[in-house]
Amino acid sequence: MQQYDTIIIGAGHNGLVCATYLAQEGQRVLVLEASDTPGGLAATREFFPGFKASVAHTVSHFSAKVARDLKLAVHGFDSATAPMPTVGLNSAGEHIVLSGTGAEAEINGVSAEDATSYRGYRQLLQRFAELLEPFWLKTMPRVGDTRLSSLLTFAQLGLKLRLLGKQDMGEFMRVATLPARDLMDENFDSELLKAMLSWDGLIGSKMAPRSPNATVLALLYRMSGELGGAHAIPVGGIESLIGALNSAAASTGVEVKTGARVGRILIEGSEDGLRATGVELANGEQIVAGRVVSSADPQRTFLQLLGVEYLEIEFSNRIRRLRCEGYVAKLHLALDGVPNFEGLAKPDGRMIIAADMDAIEFAYDDAKYGNYSQQLVMEILVPSLHQESLAPAGKHVLSAHIMYVPHKLKGGWTEEARAILVQLAIDTVAIYAPAIRAQILHSELLTPLDLEQIHNVTGGHWHHTEFSADQLLMMRPTYEAAQYSTPIPGLYLCGAGSHPGGGLMGGPGHNAARQILG
Amino acid sequence: MNTVNRADNEAIDPYAEERLKRTYFYPRAAALNIRDAWFVWNGYKFADCYYDAEYEYFCVRNSCATYDICPMQKYIVSGADAETMLNRMVTRDISKLNLNRVTYLCWCTDAGRMVDDGTIFKLGADKFMLTCGSPSLAWLRKSAFGFENLSIVDMSDKIAALAFQGPTTCEVLKQMGLDGIDTLKPFNIMHFPFGDSGAGSDDKPLMVSRTGFTGDLGYELWIKPELALQLWDALYATGENYGIQPFGEVATNMARLEAGFIMPGMEFNEALKTIHFQHDHSPFELGLSWLLDFKKPHFNGRLALLKERDAGPEYTLVKLDIEGNKPAEESHLYSDKGCNHEIGYVTSAMWSPVVKANIALAMVKTKALKGDIWAEIYYGKELRHNSKQVKCTLKQQPFWAPARRRATPPPAY
Amino acid sequence: MGLDTTQRGRYWDNDTAMKTYDAIIIGAGHNGLTNAAYLAKAGLDVLVVEKNDYIGGASVSREMQEGWIYSSCSYVCSMMRQTIHRDLNLTRHGLVLVPYLGTVSYGDRGETLISYTSEEVNYNALRRHSPHDADAMFRLHTDLARYAQLIRKTLLRTPPDPTSFRPRDIKELLWLAKEFWALGEKELYEYIRFFTMSAADFLEDYFETDLIKAAMASAGIIGTALGVQSPGSAYILLHHVMGDVDGNIGAWGLARGGMGAISNSIAGALKELGGEVRTNAGVEQILVKNRKAVGVVLENGDELTAGIVVSNLDAKRTFTQCMDKNDLPEGIYEKAKNFKIRGSSGKVNIALSAMPKFTGVPDNRYVDRGGHNFVGSLETMERAYDCWKHGRWSDDPFIEAVIPSAWDPTVAPPGKHWMSNFVQYCPSKLADGPWTPEKRDQFGQTVIDKIERYSPGFKDLIVHMEIRTPHEIEAEIGLTEGNIFQGELTIDQLLFNRPFPGYAQYRMPIKNMYMCGSSTHPGGGVSSACGANAAREILMDLKRGNTVPEDDCYDE
């Protein structure tokens, strides 16, 4: 007798979103999480006694629809937080600050010309982002699928494009595949501004400003939602989002079991073919269910939890060739006080360290050959200024994304290699905040390899698999599994490796649930 | 890489790398190839015919003949995962295959289109040999991805193999001292002592399988390269009194067509080498549905093939007996004598010398199989080109299927 | 042999400055000449004006050292539309295209991979490196042929405007959709993947041997400011293999007498059709009156008037150098300024006293007749690109070398040879200041130092050397930044985006003005397709009968 309708593998935000939607429709749902806490890459961990941080350190485009449907506000998630400014750090203290959203968007620290261009640029991109917005929360149909709902999706996309008008539609089709560098060069003069703006199209990917084809889509994806691409730390922190998701799940009867690592997905084979019937935990316990939904990354799901013997050969090779290597390392510093950044009254923004697009490009070049650059490019913030509970009173946390740090470092991630990178990162921050060295109580470096090991994400990739044009939309993760169902009846995907992709957004979980519920 | 094997004092052949490879039987085969009629197969120099193709063909049907299958691709797949890996790749269930048995099978893409056909030899509990006509290593590696306890070794250049076909073959092998060869059943394998393999080495270096591509009594002999010429010499010494003769590609093609066997590049395009959508073929189209074991919960292409089974294939490969004596090579097929409604095309055709019939294999639209089939045949008569329309009759059985091909022990020739 | 300038003068110098032409075409490159020929064929009175004292643009043969005829810029040909070749009787006008035999690719450690014309021999050669890769090569060729056959069908067609509701555009869009759909669902996705990914990622699915990957990837970077790891380079790879010689997709040909034979033969056809070409006639500005193009002003001050003006110059040069910004509708100048046309390659033409010998290559009359690709490895090629990003020429560049004299007796004295070296990467702007003759020579030195590594004694054979960086290519040929394609071949500049969205149908924002160069669809490569497509559109506007033939694709 089945105890559960659905087992969900992984209690990251997408797993929880999917579980809650299913439970809302009356399904009995069990979520299994290998770690001791839910949240995945957004889980808040104590990295030094009294100091906490999460790998995902801001929220920017969490779906308002999901928050509404799941009543997250009731469960303690306040999405109305004001976005934080994005600050382009300049070693002479002449920073560029982008703040506000929508019509209130402001820019400081650039020429009048660039300021004007910035407004035009934002408007254009906002229009494009709005065009795409509805499609992030829809299943992308298979090409040639003639069901009405699928045809409507295509028709809607066609119509939306047409509604842009001749000029903008043409421009959209050109701009969509532009490298960040060309887009920025076409619009701005300030090198720092160009670097800052390209950052959001590149972070998390193995792409650089000169890489064509996917950057603009990544930018537009991240511009969906009310913040228009700006970032915020909710009142209560990232913890409050995961807490709310967890509580919403519980309130609909979802059972979340932590410390329960799934060893494999159970497959039953007969003359009628194959079917996923449940999972076996690492401790050997078997749990059966009507279906299994995996929020783990596609490679882990298919190649480790399932096994190729149940898959088609070309499909399993398509899964194999998904590009899943992460290039972002995470640095957490426990600080004795508020770091002082020269030229900034208060470091309460999201600060980008990348003097120009070449700096990003050259850092990427080193990573291509398995090294990290001597000139790191980083995104840093002090989350404890927004959420006091992350550090003891008067103390603070600095949270930084470091690009581009390879998952497979030439020579391996030895203690020595890690120490050198930590020092390099601290030195890089110290260019802008010289006094910080004396404030550091403790540092923690999470390389992509660490992220893989701690959070069970292949390659330590934020997005489970690269957000590139050949792995997007109806090709994410591959065309056979892009509609959340897989070639194995009873097995579904709901993680960042599915459309629309990664980031604290909730799209894959939402879409998978819709698809399962039919 | 790119080193040329040569003795230091030997003159350097600047074209060495461009010349076709020679098989392990080449010294003997070349001596008998007095027509110098060469063809190429998988990079090997390979006989088209040796003396007279029709004579060689009749040796296959009348006495015995050898066909050099060294260029055939041979892969040893072994390890604890070997059976699982192969069973997922191929359409038949090889978990039912007994030790020292061979089975003919095919393998398909995810979409159920045929990648290739070939045979699998079960040589040990977790050791198999897969043979096929064209290179398949890339597909094997793709199929092997994800299996850990598995090794795939391309033995194509490391095993000498000779097909030995025809009514007197069993007798010749018996005379050669292969004790018990007459008990070898079709698709079975036996191992025999052979040659002066020294102490401590493999005491039964000669592997014989009762397999072949001629539709007649016959065997295939497998041996390590060092013993290749010795094997040839022994076979020819004994076979001398039994009409032994090497045969080439032309005679093989005649014999296999009579037996109704398919040939890549003729009856089907290998799916991975097909440019145009659905110009490749499914096992249903090729009349190979008997190779599909749908009782297996999973094999590659199963889901797509199930769909095709329900819908029925668009084309079906059929055997045709054609009026008259003009071979229907490359003919188009019609449902009417006026040739208004095209329903298919001939893939291989010939005048069959042994059954005295004008035979062909053809791809015909499945829906048209119930009606008349007409072929428009083009033929030449002293440089004048003519065409004629002739009636075709569907044949269910192979054109040539002597009882001896299956009988154990084989009847006296 | 080569160009007889005195004879050419007799043909082309016409003193007809005051007359009004039906059409003036700016630039006597192969596309300009093709365009003019088809307009002339429709009965138009056409004039092609050329700034240099010779015709051909980048498809040119020049005697830079007595006895040696260099194909100074482009050096091999595979995209030339044979339907145009046949239609304009180019063979009668002197054009003979001969496919060249295999290519040797050289790895960093001295390993070589020789590709042969025979599939079986090629298989054996690959098998010596990797039996797996030898098998996988069949699949690669099949897949590339599949991708190529679709894109080839679009070469002699005008791209549809996806923003338009005109029946013609909708019809053409539906045709495209139908062609895509005919691939089948799986291949359709594979096609999209292929279009957007990098050459290195694409080849990763086929091969295990780095040298084989590198050899195949080299076509993905030629002429472009992308690296083998840049998304989009897989398409560039296709752009170089979609051509054919007599139906052999991916084969390359050499023009007897050098690439000038192509331009000269088209010019011959043009003259026979009554067209006129004027050399030493650089255009200062395109004349616009009442938002209509009415003619050109030459650098010598002459004004020539015409019913229409067709620019065979690249889009950036056309709009930012040859037109008054005030004559342009709003936004066009910016679009042209932003048009991506990046110099990334150099050319070193070398006259040799004898045939060089290459280490590891058999001393074999057939191998000498092919090309020599110094690829190194995927990493070496990618690092070569990194140099370009830093504003330096590659210190260990990728070189595609061809020795046409091995089979063409007309391009070097008997027993002597000339070697064409295409070099990637070489930036048009150096980080350390402008190009100087000294830097140019250092660049050349880098190239011959690399060749010497693979061919000891090579330098001793050098009789004469002509070094072209993007700087020289731009200065002489007029290609902005020395970009050989008249604009990058990235998706944002392909098909209906080429050169700009809304202007991909050869008509420019000024009435009576057209473009016919490689800045338009289908882009670079000596294909004559851009010129022919533009002619078809012009004749449609002028309500003349179409003279441009349809393509004859082998895969129909």
Side-chain angles (χ1 to χ4, degrees):
Chain A
M1 167 72 194
Q2 277 175 11
Q3 204 181 338
Y4 301 103
D5 296 308
T6 300
I7 289 173
I8 291 184
I9 303 173
H13 75 287
N14 277 315
L16 293 171
V17 166
C18 184
T20 310
Y21 273 110
L22 295 181
Q24 278 180 345
E25 296 300 316
Q27 287 200 7
R28 291 158 302 166
V29 184
L30 171 68
V31 182
L32 297 168
E33 168 59 46
S35 313
D36 293 333
T37 49
L41 284 169
T44 302
R45 293 165 47 250
E46 187 171 289
F47 67 95
F48 187 61
F51 293 83
K52 294 189 291 183
S54 56
V55 175
H57 61 197
T58 55
V59 174
S60 90
H61 62 152
F62 191 82
S63 162
K65 176 176 187 292
V66 172
R68 213 164 44 238
D69 289 350
L70 268 45
K71 304 188 179 65
L72 294 185
V74 177
H75 295 282
F77 172 57
D78 182 358
S79 61
T81 323
M84 59 175 73
T86 299
V87 183
L89 291 181
N90 169 284
S91 56
E94 291 158 8
H95 310 306
I96 296 177
V97 181
L98 308 174
S99 52
T101 55
E104 283 104 59
E106 272 184 48
I107 180 165
N108 285 297
V110 296
S111 66
E113 262 186 353
D114 270 354
T116 311
S117 303
Y118 177 68
R119 277 185 285 278
Y121 164 88
R122 272 203 68 91
Q123 273 169 16
L124 186 70
L125 255 57
Q126 202 62 52
R127 290 197 65 191
F128 294 163
E130 280 162 18
L131 178 151
L132 292 177
E133 181 140 7
F135 302 96
W136 303 128
L137 285 184
K138 267 185 203 302
T139 298
M140 295 313 288
R142 272 177 95 136
V143 177
D145 181 348
T146 51
R147 278 173 308 176
L148 188 63
S149 60
S150 304
L151 292 176
L152 280 176
T153 302
F154 287 125
Q156 190 188 2
L157 186 62
L159 185 69
K160 285 236 162 210
L161 271 171
R162 291 283 184 176
L163 287 175
L164 281 176
K166 196 173 169 59
Q167 196 82 18
D168 280 1
M169 176 182 169
E171 190 65 359
F172 176 76
M173 297 180 75
R174 181 183 77 91
V175 165
T177 59
L178 270 190
R181 188 177 179 104
D182 295 333
L183 182 65
M184 299 309 158
D185 279 344
E186 285 180 9
N187 284 284
F188 307 109
D189 293 324
S190 158
E191 291 302 327
L192 178 56
L193 178 62
K194 292 181 200 175
M196 290 170 70
L197 292 174
S198 57
W199 184 260
D200 285 341
L202 303 171
I203 189 167
S205 301
K206 193 193 177 190
M207 291 188 293
R210 286 189 190 272
S211 310
N213 294 354
T215 318
V216 171
L217 285 173
L219 266 178
L220 297 178
Y221 174 50
R222 287 171 172 153
M223 283 177 74
S224 67
E226 285 156 9
L227 294 184
H231 290 239
I233 294 180
V235 181
I238 305 292
E239 273 173 292
S240 69
L241 173 57
I242 298 302
L245 284 168
N246 211 23
S247 147
S251 74
T252 50
V254 173
E255 202 179 315
V256 180
K257 217 183 215 178
T258 55
R261 178 178 295 273
V262 173
R264 65 188 179 102
I265 295 167
L266 295 174
I267 297 291
E268 214 171 77
S270 69
E271 282 179 37
D272 299 329
L274 303 173
R275 184 167 183 88
T277 56
V279 299
E280 183 182 276
L281 299 184
N283 63 15
E285 184 190 343
Q286 296 200 342
I287 309 172
V288 296
R291 73 181 61 74
V292 177
V293 184
S294 174
S295 75
D297 65 85
Q299 285 196 345
R300 183 161 299 247
T301 302
F302 290 112
L303 305 183
Q304 291 188 26
L305 300 179
L306 192 66
V308 294
E309 63 176 290
Y310 302 113
L311 296 170
E312 304 275 334
I313 293 167
E314 289 165 278
F315 174 74
S316 46
N317 280 278
R318 267 191 271 283
I319 295 294
R320 163 208 213 172
R321 73 190 185 193
L322 290 174
R323 296 189 301 285
C324 297
E325 288 197 356
Y327 282 85
V328 195
K330 191 71 200 287
L331 178 74
H332 296 140
L333 297 179
L335 299 176
D336 207 8
V338 183
N340 180 27
F341 284 79
E342 284 178 8
L344 278 182
K346 192 181 174 197
D348 59 352
R350 187 170 64 108
M351 295 168 280
I352 313 284
I353 301 180
D356 52 28
M357 290 190 289
D358 269 347
I360 306 176
E361 187 76 34
F362 298 157
Y364 158 81
D365 284 344
D366 287 318
K368 288 188 299 197
Y369 313 113
N371 304 314
Y372 51 77
S373 170
Q374 292 305 300
Q375 263 81 48
L376 299 173
V377 289
M378 300 167 71
E379 167 182 313
I380 56 179
L381 53 90
V382 185
S384 48
L385 287 171
H386 302 264
Q387 185 195 352
E388 287 176 2
S389 63
L390 290 178
K395 315 250 188 262
H396 285 276
V397 171
L398 183 138
S399 168
H401 294 307
I402 311 173
M403 294 263 277
Y404 292 77
V405 178
H407 172 256
K408 286 194 186 74
L409 185 71
K410 227 177 220 175
W413 279 111
T414 59
E415 279 309 312
E416 196 190 350
R418 304 169 62 92
I420 296 171
L421 178 56
V422 170
Q423 197 50 53
L424 192 59
I426 292 172
D427 290 347
T428 308
V429 177
I431 295 170
Y432 307 92
I436 199 167
R437 284 196 183 91
Q439 295 176 300
I440 300 171
L441 303 170
H442 178 75
S443 69
E444 179 193 56
L445 173 73
L446 300 172
T447 66
L449 184 64
D450 297 325
L451 296 181
E452 173 174 79
Q453 284 161 356
I454 299 171
H455 296 285
N456 309 300
V457 186
T458 303
H461 199 299
W462 284 13
H463 304 146
H464 290 194
T465 182
E466 192 73 8
F467 195 87
S468 56
D470 55 320
Q471 302 186 166
L472 280 184
L473 303 167
M474 55 274 276
M475 291 184 294
R476 190 168 184 86
T478 77
Y479 77 90
E480 299 102 324
Q483 288 76 37
Y484 309 97
S485 58
T486 69
I488 307 286
L491 177 65
Y492 296 80
L493 299 177
C494 75
S498 293
H499 172 75
L504 273 174
M505 195 264 181
H510 165 273
N511 295 355
R514 292 285 127 212
Q515 200 65 22
I516 291 164
L517 294 167
Chain B
M1 295 292 167
N2 272 323
T3 49
V4 185
N5 292 321
R6 59 174 177 265
D8 283 345
N9 53 358
E10 197 181 316
I12 296 169
D13 173 6
Y15 302 98
E17 294 185 10
E18 294 202 41
R19 299 201 191 274
L20 294 172
K21 291 194 288 189
R22 295 169 171 189
T23 77
Y24 295 113
F25 300 112
Y26 181 81
R28 301 293 184 271
L32 291 174
N33 195 330
I34 60 169
R35 296 284 176 254
D36 252 339
W38 297 101
F39 176 72
V40 53
W41 182 14
N42 291 337
Y44 280 96
K45 191 170 173 184
F46 182 75
D48 221 357
C49 73
Y50 290 80
Y51 183 77
D52 177 283
E54 193 164 323
Y55 168 70
E56 291 161 25
Y57 153 84
F58 268 113
C59 290
V60 172
R61 295 287 180 241
N62 175 48
S63 52
C64 66
T66 62
Y67 177 67
D68 183 353
I69 50 173
C70 289
M72 195 154 70
Q73 301 297 293
K74 304 170 271 293
Y75 305 96
I76 298 289
V77 182
S78 58
D81 287 337
E83 184 180 294
T84 314
M85 174 261 161
L86 286 171
N87 225 10
R88 173 243 210 172
M89 182 177 112
V90 304
T91 57
R92 290 183 97 167
D93 191 348
I94 62 157
S95 67
K96 296 173 185 160
L97 191 65
N98 289 325
L99 185 65
N100 287 327
R101 280 285 288 171
V102 185
T103 184
Y104 169 69
L105 34 69
C106 68
W107 49 98
C108 297
T109 63
D110 293 9
R113 314 300 288 182
M114 212 158 97
V115 176
D116 209 347
D117 63 349
T119 50
I120 283 185
F121 292 58
K122 184 156 179 176
L123 304 178
D126 52 9
K127 185 178 177 190
F128 299 85
M129 179 169 79
L130 183 141
T131 72
C132 49
S134 40
S136 289
L137 189 58
W139 183 254
L140 274 171
R141 290 263 194 92
K142 272 201 180 330
S143 311
F145 161 68
F147 293 99
E148 283 172 12
N149 300 309
L150 186 71
S151 126
I152 295 176
V153 183
D154 184 347
M155 296 296 287
S156 305
D157 298 336
K158 293 167 192 145
I159 297 176
L162 200 58
F164 187 43
Q165 307 276 303
T168 63
T169 49
C170 181
E171 186 60 29
V172 171
L173 294 175
K174 227 176 353 185
Q175 297 289 328
M176 254 175 73
L178 271 55
D179 287 345
I181 188 70
D182 51 344
T183 65
L184 185 62
K185 291 181 180 164
F187 291 102
N188 273 12
I189 300 167
M190 283 175 89
H191 297 266
F192 298 95
F194 182 78
D196 41 32
S197 41
S201 66
D202 184 2
D203 62 343
K204 287 184 176 177
L206 174 62
M207 180 171 92
V208 179
S209 55
R210 190 165 163 192
T211 46
F213 198 45
T214 60
D216 216 311
L217 172 64
Y219 302 86
E220 285 171 329
L221 315 178
W222 314 82
I223 201 153
K224 54 185 172 187
E226 306 90 278
L227 295 175
L229 293 180
Q230 225 175 305
L231 174 66
W232 179 287
D233 293 342
L235 209 52
Y236 274 73
T238 315
E240 185 58 32
N241 295 331
Y242 297 89
I244 195 167
Q245 163 70 24
F247 68 110
E249 183 60 22
V250 177
T252 303
N253 204 23
M254 294 169 74
R256 69 93 195 169
L257 174 49
E258 286 175 342
F261 295 154
I262 59 169
M263 186 95 132
M266 304 284 282
E267 275 67 43
F268 74 100
N269 268 330
E270 296 166 41
L272 302 179
K273 298 177 190 168
T274 303
I275 295 171
H276 297 91
F277 181 55
Q278 292 198 341
H279 282 221
D280 49 12
H281 299 87
S282 82
F284 285 108
E285 290 173 338
L286 293 164
L288 298 178
S289 55
W290 60 281
L291 294 181
L292 307 177
D293 189 343
F294 287 112
K295 290 205 176 88
K296 269 204 295 187
H298 179 57
F299 62 83
N300 213 56
R302 183 179 184 274
L303 289 173
L305 288 165
L306 273 176
K307 273 187 199 157
E308 192 180 349
R309 182 178 71 177
D310 297 341
E314 196 192 348
Y315 280 89
T316 302
L317 184 75
V318 294
K319 302 176 193 73
L320 296 181
D321 189 341
I322 300 172
E323 270 183 359
N325 59 12
K326 301 283 182 262
E329 277 177 301
E330 300 190 359
S331 287
H332 290 248
L333 300 174
Y334 300 87
S335 62
D336 58 321
K337 193 176 181 189
C339 299
N340 293 314
H341 302 289
E342 203 177 316
I343 55 170
Y345 52 92
V346 168
T347 58
S348 303
M350 66 182 270
W351 172 258
S352 165
V354 72
V355 292
K356 303 297 177 212
N358 192 16
I359 65 172
L361 293 177
M363 272 290 175
V364 182
K365 284 186 178 155
T366 311
K367 281 181 194 153
L369 283 175
K370 290 193 194 95
D372 289 351
I373 300 176
W374 290 84
E376 184 171 43
I377 296 178
Y378 291 84
Y379 62 100
K381 194 188 261 175
E382 292 174 328
L383 301 183
R384 299 249 178 112
H385 293 275
N386 305 298
S387 72
K388 64 174 183 177
Q389 296 77 40
V390 292
K391 191 90 190 286
C392 306
T393 313
L394 284 181
K395 293 271 290 178
Q396 297 306 326
Q397 297 304 317
F399 306 104
W400 171 255
R404 65 176 178 243
R405 81 189 197 283
R406 287 198 180 140
T408 312
Y413 53 88
Chain C
M1 279 231 325
L3 273 175
D4 183 337
T5 42
T6 54
Q7 206 183 29
R8 201 180 53 234
R10 198 169 72 235
Y11 284 170
W12 307 126
D13 285 350
N14 284 298
D15 188 21
T16 46
M18 296 317 290
K19 99 185 221 198
T20 294
Y21 290 91
D22 290 333
I24 288 176
I25 292 94
I26 307 169
H30 78 285
N31 271 317
L33 294 167
T34 303
N35 184 263
Y38 280 110
L39 298 183
K41 199 177 171 195
L44 263 58
D45 190 2
V46 299
L47 170 69
V48 182
V49 288
E50 166 59 46
K51 81 177 172 92
N52 287 323
D53 62 357
Y54 58 85
I55 63 159
S59 183
V60 69
S61 305
R62 303 195 67 204
E63 185 167 0
M64 306 301 289
Q65 165 79 2
E66 199 182 335
W68 273 271
I69 310 289
Y70 294 166
S71 290
S72 302
C73 297
S74 70
Y75 51 101
V76 284
C77 161
S78 82
M79 289 177 68
M80 184 68 201
R81 300 289 82 209
Q82 62 185 6
T83 179
I84 292 173
H85 188 148
R86 178 168 56 193
D87 188 67
L88 292 179
N89 285 314
L90 297 186
T91 305
R92 187 158 53 75
H93 291 288
L95 179 59
V96 177
L97 292 176
V98 183
Y100 72 91
L101 303 178
T103 296
V104 189
S105 298
Y106 299 84
D108 285 329
R109 298 180 312 279
E111 70 276 34
T112 57
L113 171 73
I114 307 182
S115 72
Y116 300 95
T117 48
S118 153
E119 199 178 70
E120 296 279 349
V121 174
N122 218 18
Y123 172 73
N124 284 347
L126 288 163
R127 207 177 149 87
R128 284 194 283 273
H129 288 269
S130 156
H132 172 273
D133 290 0
D135 181 12
M137 187 63 85
F138 291 113
R139 187 166 72 92
L140 178 73
H141 280 159
T142 304
D143 290 349
L144 287 177
R146 186 183 307 113
Y147 302 148
Q149 71 158 13
L150 198 162
I151 202 81
R152 276 151 50 89
K153 288 183 192 170
T154 69
L155 296 181
L156 267 186
R157 297 176 85 109
T158 299
D161 179 353
T163 69
S164 143
F165 287 102
R166 287 184 312 161
R168 183 183 169 213
D169 287 311
I170 290 171
K171 203 176 133 210
E172 195 69 10
L173 271 176
L174 288 175
W175 175 82
L176 260 183
K178 193 189 103 223
E179 289 292 320
F180 266 100
W181 185 239
L183 289 168
E185 189 195 14
K186 175 192 150 215
E187 294 304 337
L188 197 146
Y189 291 113
E190 292 295 328
Y191 206 95
I192 301 172
R193 284 171 42 83
F194 172 77
F195 249 81
T196 54
M197 68 198 304
S198 76
D201 286 336
F202 171 66
L203 293 166
E204 193 63 41
D205 191 44
Y206 295 83
F207 304 118
E208 59 182 14
T209 312
D210 190 81
L211 179 61
I212 295 175
K213 285 188 235 177
M216 300 313 293
S218 63
I221 57 169
I222 288 176
T224 183
L226 294 175
V228 290
Q229 290 198 17
S230 306
S233 52
Y235 171 72
I236 315 282
L237 192 160
L238 181 65
H239 199 84
H240 286 107
V241 301
M242 70 178 159
D244 68 277
V245 178
D246 302 320
N248 294 316
I249 294 178
W252 283 84
L254 292 162
R256 190 173 196 271
M259 293 297 280
I262 295 178
S263 309
N264 292 342
S265 65
I266 304 172
L270 169 62
K271 178 188 153 269
E272 193 171 87
L273 293 162
E276 201 182 309
V277 178
R278 192 181 300 181
T279 53
N280 287 317
V283 168
E284 181 69 37
Q285 199 184 321
I286 295 169
L287 282 174
V288 176
K289 279 187 189 141
N290 302 325
R291 305 232 138 205
K292 283 182 189 166
V294 295
V296 297
V297 186
L298 298 182
E299 278 162 0
N300 66 9
D302 286 358
E303 274 193 34
L304 301 173
T305 56
I308 62 164
V309 176
V310 187
S311 172
N312 184 32
L313 312 181
D314 67 69
K316 195 163 187 168
R317 178 163 302 259
T318 301
F319 292 105
T320 65
Q321 311 239 332
C322 296
M323 296 193 76
D324 185 335
K325 199 173 168 181
N326 299 319
D327 286 337
L328 293 172
E330 202 192 315
I332 296 298
Y333 182 85
E334 286 70 26
K335 279 184 201 292
K337 197 169 70 92
N338 289 335
F339 185 66
K340 293 188 324 201
I341 177 160
R342 288 171 184 150
S344 59
S345 29
K347 182 83 195 291
V348 180
N349 299 308
I350 303 176
L352 296 167
S353 60
M355 179 62 84
K357 301 286 175 223
F358 295 90
T359 311
V361 177
D363 191 1
N364 168 327
R365 59 194 278 122
Y366 299 114
V367 174
D368 281 344
R369 278 157 175 71
H372 298 269
N373 273 10
F374 303 96
V375 294
S377 64
L378 282 178
E379 182 169 332
T380 299
M381 286 199 282
E382 184 69 19
R383 286 193 186 273
Y385 174 48
D386 293 347
C387 291
W388 180 88
K389 290 186 194 171
H390 286 266
R392 312 190 298 262
W393 62 82
S394 310
D395 37 28
D396 190 3
F398 158 65
I399 304 170
E400 178 175 272
V402 183
I403 306 178
S405 53
W407 68 271
D408 184 349
T410 71
V411 292
K416 317 275 186 213
H417 289 280
W418 94 268
M419 182 180 190
S420 159
N421 294 285
F422 177 84
V423 189
Q424 195 94 6
Y425 297 78
C426 187
S428 63
K429 286 188 199 70
L430 293 172
D432 64 356
W435 278 100
T436 61
E438 292 72 32
K439 290 180 188 170
R440 181 197 62 206
D441 292 347
Q442 282 168 26
F443 165 68
Q445 194 62 38
T446 306
V447 173
I448 59 172
D449 283 349
K450 174 148 186 174
I451 299 172
E452 177 81 21
R453 258 163 51 201
Y454 294 91
S455 176
F458 174 80
K459 286 184 190 169
D460 300 336
L461 305 178
I462 298 174
V463 175
H464 172 261
M465 193 157 104
E466 183 203 18
I467 306 162
R468 289 169 175 258
T469 72
H471 178 75
E472 279 76 31
I473 296 172
E474 171 161 13
E476 183 177 326
I477 310 298
L479 293 165
T480 301
E481 292 196 25
N483 180 293
I484 68 168
F485 294 140
Q486 280 204 353
E488 288 286 324
L489 296 172
T490 45
I491 297 176
D492 54 298
Q493 296 191 161
L494 280 178
L495 207 66
F496 41 71
N497 285 335
R498 194 167 184 88
F500 329 124
Y503 298 98
Q505 297 180 334
Y506 308 93
R507 293 167 190 83
M508 290 301 118
I510 307 293
K511 204 167 157 37
N512 297 340
M513 184 183 154
Y514 298 83
M515 275 184 61
C516 73
S518 301
S519 280
T520 61
H521 171 77
V526 182
S527 71
S528 279
C530 307
N533 285 343
R536 189 178 52 240
E537 296 300 314
I538 291 167
L539 293 173
M540 194 182 295
D541 288 355
L542 297 180
K543 302 198 164 45
R544 300 268 188 148
N546 180 28
T547 54
V548 179
E550 283 196 10
D551 214 345
D552 57 347
C553 290
Y554 278 95
D555 22 65
E556 281 303 326

